[in-house]
Amino acid sequence: TTMNLKLDIINYPIIQSNEPLTVEQLSLVADEIAETIRQYRPEFANLVQLHRHSGCRVKELFQPTRWKVVSNVSLQLTPQKRNAVRNLRFADIGVASAAAFEPILADMARLPLRQYERAFSLAVHDACIYRLYDNGFASPSTHMFRHIKIKELAKSGMEKESIATWIGEKNIQSLDYYLSSKFFR
């Protein structure tokens, strides 16, 4: 099944295919991809919102035991890859409260990762987004939301050390990879 939903690029600033997308353009595209997934697969609405705003890895998104509510305003995420535990405020990830997070935890446990990855892939394909790799261009994976979140945090003026803490990276130099990544239409 294909989505048959094309992104409304009329609302975007003029995007040249040979120029990398700016952070602002990436944010618009990421929001549009998230909306496309919500329309095509509404059962993933909670998860795509959390994925878009948290900067988590997709496998973390489908492992509810990694997420621990610590108060009505915050939670902890135990990341994969032996990175640092992340402390996140609900407001920063688009969730109103601990009670509003409960259905998201339930979705993590019941929904299949592969179907989410497929929906994401179709939305990215429909958006005609490409990532520049050493060996050429390719459609980006679900990791694109992590890249965009890191770029958004840097654009907002957050220091590298704070970004590393926010996303759970122990090695600040790892951020250079994320910040230098390029996406194109």
Side-chain angles (χ1 to χ4, degrees), residues 14 40 42 73 90 106 121 126 156 163 180:
I14 295 174
Y40 173 67
V73 295
F90 288 116
S121 177
D126 278 357
S156 74
I163 295 171
S180 67

Side-chain angles (χ1 to χ4, degrees), residues 26-68:
L26 277 172
S27 294
L28 288 170
V29 170
D31 290 343
E32 201 64 35
I33 288 170
E35 182 57 32
T36 300
I37 293 169
R38 280 191 286 271
Q39 289 176 15
Y40 173 67
R41 297 293 301 266
E43 67 272 25
F44 290 116
N46 288 332
L47 295 179
V48 75
Q49 175 183 322
L50 180 63
H51 191 200
R52 168 71 180 97
H53 295 290
S54 71
C56 72
R57 292 177 175 87
V58 73
K59 288 188 179 174
E60 294 166 349
L61 187 64
F62 284 85
Q63 296 176 346
T65 57
R66 292 186 178 278
W67 301 80
K68 178 184 174 189

Side-chain angles (χ1 to χ4, degrees), residues 121-141:
S121 177
L122 291 171
V124 169
H125 181 267
D126 278 357
C128 300
I129 300 298
Y130 298 95
R131 166 111 187 270
L132 180 62
Y133 291 94
D134 292 339
N135 60 351
F137 288 92
S139 292
S141 70

Side-chain angles (χ1 to χ4, degrees), residues 2-3 14-16 20 26 36-38 44-45 50 83 90 119 127 138 159 165 167 171 175:
T2 59
M3 286 194 189
I14 295 174
I15 299 173
Q16 301 295 324
L26 277 172
T36 300
I37 293 169
R38 280 191 286 271
F44 290 116
L50 180 63
N83 284 330
F90 288 116
E159 298 290 327
T165 299
I167 64 160
N171 183 356
L175 293 180

